[in-house]
Amino acid sequence: MVNNKSATQNWLLEPQDIGVRYLALRDLLQAGGKELEDARVKAHIEGPIASVLAKMNDEGYWVVPGPGYYPKYTSTIWSIMLLAQLGAKMDAVTRIGTACQYLMDHAFCEAGQISASGSPSGTADCMQGNLCTALLDLGCQDKRLDKAFEYMARSVTGEGIAPMTDKTAALRYYAGKCGPTFACGSNDKKPCAWGAAKVMLAFSKLPKEKHTPIIDRAISAGVDFLFSKNPADADYPSGYAAKPSGNWWKLGFPVFYVTDILQIVEALGGLGFAKDPRLERALNLIRDKQDTSGRWALEYDYTGKTWVDFGPKKAPNKWVTLRTLRVLQGAGD
């Protein structure tokens, strides 16, 4: 790994990249006071956050009303995920609270699922985990979010959820979210590590005082699953493919349902395993992607597909570098 910390930080702090500068001050330098507050305000009114919010309907949705899964990747679900990854906060812009309220009113189901269709059958681990993470990061205080976390834990352990074949049960699995331990219909009903990474990332951000016994059991099961293989190899069940997706080793921004090994390390690190020797190979792979200037490239992107573009593919990228340095900092680098 290149020992170019100061130069890399100075690059991330360049004033023209408002959003990255704010998050680098907050997360890497752990700055405070007027400098951080000024950057925070500017990021919300001039940066990418403002660009995404400018596309929001006054009622709180993007593109079309309803749960907001389609069209990818500009409708409500994706826009809320993107805002969270950009560092947006409800207490900085009240319209973000309007969007969170709209999402919960239209995508949340009574049993706790957050659904692409608004009905219980429309949930999946990747979406549930992504949105639970996003809503927490945005500062959402909706009490329904507690129920969403509780359902997510049950969906991992299987406690209180009937098989998908039991169509008379009040709470059951469906064709998409089809069984415990991250089983997914899109992964040939096998456990999906992409979904697992999202769910565990969400649990890593949940305040300890909100952990219930079933949430702790779900975390334990998820940690066991992600460590059942070496994250550097990512040879988790791959459903319809003969080998793991090559996207595991492509660091990207933003991160939606496609997952990279950096996010596995982030999730496990957030749960207290940042210095676990089982992560060392994955960390070394991530370190080895650094260029001679101390930067990381954008390898997986959504250019032209969402509201903001984040730089050319295969070029050094501030957002990917920020993601990486957060994780490496947690690992003690």
Side-chain angles (χ1 to χ4, degrees):
M1 183 170 174
V2 178
N3 187 10
N4 229 349
K5 180 178 178 181
S6 179
T8 305
Q9 286 184 349
N10 289 339
W11 179 58
L12 296 178
L13 292 170
E14 288 175 346
Q16 68 268 28
D17 292 305
I18 297 164
V20 172
R21 174 179 168 78
Y22 160 53
L23 293 179
L25 284 168
R26 188 192 74 182
D27 299 340
L28 301 181
L29 275 66
Q30 297 174 345
K34 188 175 186 301
E35 183 180 26
L36 180 64
E37 183 57 26
D38 287 350
R40 180 178 186 263
V41 170
K42 196 169 187 179
H44 282 80
I45 62 174
E46 296 181 29
I49 293 170
S51 298
V52 177
L53 286 174
K55 302 296 184 179
M56 188 186 97
N57 184 280
D58 288 343
E59 291 181 38
Y61 66 85
W62 281 261
V63 189
V64 294
Y69 188 84
Y70 294 109
K72 296 177 180 179
Y73 296 92
T74 52
S75 57
T76 306
I77 282 171
W78 311 99
S79 297
I80 284 176
M81 290 178 196
L82 178 57
L83 282 172
Q85 293 178 45
L86 293 172
K89 291 288 184 182
M90 285 173 54
D91 61 1
V93 179
T94 56
R95 296 180 74 230
I96 296 171
T98 302
C100 292
Q101 177 76 38
Y102 187 94
L103 175 76
M104 294 301 280
D105 287 348
H106 291 81
F108 178 82
C109 303
E110 184 59 32
Q113 302 98 329
I114 302 179
S115 168
S117 62
S119 65
S121 62
T123 192
D125 283 321
C126 54
M127 187 176 64
Q128 187 90 11
N130 272 335
L131 286 171
C132 284
T133 295
L135 291 165
L136 278 186
D137 284 346
L138 291 168
C140 179
Q141 300 294 320
D142 194 310
K143 290 183 178 179
R144 291 173 290 185
L145 190 53
D146 292 339
K147 199 165 185 178
F149 270 92
E150 194 76 2
Y151 164 78
M152 188 163 65
R154 289 189 182 280
S155 77
V156 174
T157 68
E159 296 171 58
I161 304 185
M164 59 180 290
T165 53
D166 187 357
K167 297 186 178 181
T168 63
L171 182 61
R172 67 180 179 94
Y173 291 110
Y174 290 87
K177 175 54 194 165
C178 60
T181 322
F182 315 109
C184 179
S186 296
N187 198 43
D188 196 21
K189 301 182 181 178
K190 295 178 173 66
C192 177
W194 283 3
K198 314 299 183 182
V199 169
M200 300 308 286
L201 183 63
F203 284 138
S204 79
K205 292 173 177 284
L206 187 67
K208 290 286 188 184
E209 62 270 19
K210 287 187 174 287
H211 283 210
T212 62
I214 194 169
I215 286 174
D216 285 336
R217 290 194 292 275
I219 290 171
S220 179
V223 169
D224 287 346
F225 173 70
L226 289 176
F227 276 135
S228 69
K229 305 290 185 179
N230 192 305
D233 299 324
D235 53 346
Y236 302 102
S238 53
Y240 299 100
K243 59 183 180 179
S245 168
N247 293 326
W248 277 116
W249 297 279
K250 296 177 182 178
L251 306 188
F253 189 87
V255 184
F256 292 139
Y257 55 80
V258 174
T259 309
D260 52 37
I261 61 170
L262 181 62
Q263 192 168 62
I264 285 189
V265 178
E266 179 186 10
L268 289 169
L271 290 166
F273 296 90
K275 298 181 181 180
D276 191 295
R278 292 172 291 183
L279 288 180
E280 191 59 28
R281 278 187 55 216
L283 284 165
N284 284 335
L285 281 174
I286 292 163
R287 293 177 184 120
D288 288 346
K289 285 180 172 287
Q290 187 185 39
D291 68 15
T292 55
S293 298
R295 305 168 183 183
W296 281 263
L298 178 67
E299 298 172 310
Y300 191 95
D301 72 331
Y302 291 87
T303 299
K305 297 179 181 179
T306 188
W307 297 119
V308 182
D309 291 339
F310 295 96
K313 191 182 277 190
K314 298 184 180 180
N317 185 272
K318 291 184 177 181
W319 291 97
V320 174
T321 300
L322 176 70
R323 279 189 67 212
T324 306
L325 289 179
R326 282 173 175 153
V327 170
L328 294 179
Q329 187 168 279
D333 284 25

